């Protein structure tokens, strides 16, 4: 649940910053995917420790 929220927040932030550089959507998609992968890896690592 947290990963989805983080992905949306990052996508919105990058979308507005990227709009000034004419690269709004590509940056938002890229960083939201990176955030999603990082959250997935974090969740897998937490389950290994248990």
């Amino acid at each position: 649940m947290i990963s989805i929220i983080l992905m949306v927040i990052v996508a919105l932030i990058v979308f507005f910053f990227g709009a000034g550089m004419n690269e709004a959507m590509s940056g938002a998609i890229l960083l939201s995917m990176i955030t999603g992968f990082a959250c997935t890896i974090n969740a897998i690592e937490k389950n290994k420790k248990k």
Side-chain angles (χ1 to χ4, degrees):
M1 186 69 176
I2 297 294
S3 63
I4 295 171
I5 294 169
L6 284 175
M7 286 171 45
V8 170
I9 291 170
V10 168
L12 289 174
I13 291 171
V14 174
F15 181 78
F16 288 115
F17 281 123
M21 295 181 281
N22 296 328
E23 290 293 328
M25 285 307 294
S26 61
I29 292 170
L30 175 67
L31 286 180
S32 66
M33 286 178 57
I34 291 171
T35 305
F37 289 142
C39 290
T40 303
I41 292 169
N42 187 22
I44 291 170
E45 291 296 321
K46 280 186 179 179
N47 284 337
K48 283 185 180 179
K49 290 179 183 178
K50 290 181 181 181

